[in-house]
Amino acid sequence: MENLSKYFKNIDGAIGKVAEHHKRRSEILSFSVVGSYSKKEISVQNDVDCLIITKNKLSYQTIKNKVLNLSAGIKLSDDVFKACLDNINFSFAYFCKKDFYEYVRKLMDGDILSVEPRSWAIGGKIHEIFLGDIKSAKIIFDKENNFTALQN
């Protein structure tokens, strides 16, 4: 059990570093960890999925060079940025505040029913799983408390 505790502590430390870097940027409103790690499900890939809400849409170059600004190789895969930090594979999904909350509202109202194809998900992006990830997300910071309100 001690090794498992050390595993989570190391990843939590890396998440803290990445989140603090994002928090200093005025265009970043919210940083949360979603998926298996937020639920403390051990993943063979040793990966952490991060959901970041921004004030406005950010270009690929802005995210890569100014927001992430990492020396590690950054790859764009489908709709997420991937990078390896401290031997942990991170995925970063950036969403503009307006688009994200409008999309979530439409999902919750049942206005979007079709499955969205995603190369990284078996069967595509299933809306119930997306909403479940929001509900179980570990919020690292939420400057306007909008993401926090979704969980309540």
Side-chain angles (χ1 to χ4, degrees):
M1 190 66 168
E2 185 177 324
N3 287 340
L4 187 59
S5 177
K6 185 177 180 182
Y7 169 83
F8 286 129
K9 189 174 183 176
N10 290 341
I11 293 180
D12 285 342
I15 291 169
K17 288 179 200 174
V18 172
E20 189 57 39
H21 173 75
H22 280 77
K23 190 174 188 177
R24 290 192 297 259
R25 303 208 51 96
S26 63
E27 66 267 34
I28 306 297
L29 300 175
S30 170
F31 186 102
S32 300
V33 176
V34 296
S36 59
Y37 188 75
S38 68
K39 298 172 193 167
K40 297 294 188 209
E41 295 171 357
I42 297 173
S43 172
V44 174
Q45 298 97 350
N46 197 25
D47 65 344
V48 177
D49 301 316
C50 302
L51 176 65
I52 296 108
I53 309 298
T54 63
K55 285 183 183 177
N56 300 299
K57 287 184 181 179
L58 301 177
S59 72
Y60 167 80
Q61 288 302 326
T62 298
I63 293 170
K64 183 178 178 186
N65 298 326
K66 293 183 180 175
V67 177
L68 283 175
N69 193 23
L70 303 170
S71 58
I74 299 169
K75 298 181 222 167
L76 184 60
S77 174
D78 195 17
D79 57 356
V80 299
F81 288 85
K82 295 188 173 276
C84 186
L85 305 162
D86 295 344
N87 294 316
I88 299 161
N89 295 313
F90 280 88
S91 295
F92 302 97
Y94 292 87
F95 292 95
C96 166
K97 173 185 169 179
K98 178 185 174 290
D99 294 345
F100 178 78
Y101 292 111
E102 183 176 312
Y103 179 75
V104 170
R105 183 193 53 78
K106 285 180 179 180
L107 282 177
M108 293 172 79
D109 290 347
D111 295 339
I112 302 173
L113 301 175
S114 62
V115 173
E116 296 176 29
R118 293 290 189 251
S119 61
W120 45 262
I122 297 171
K125 182 177 176 183
I126 300 175
H127 304 302
E128 291 81 7
I129 294 172
F130 179 71
L131 292 174
D133 279 347
I134 290 170
K135 188 73 176 166
S136 64
K138 179 180 178 183
I139 300 170
I140 308 300
F141 69 84
D142 186 11
K143 294 176 182 175
E144 296 180 345
N145 293 317
N146 291 323
F147 197 88
T148 304
L150 286 178
Q151 290 189 318
N152 298 325

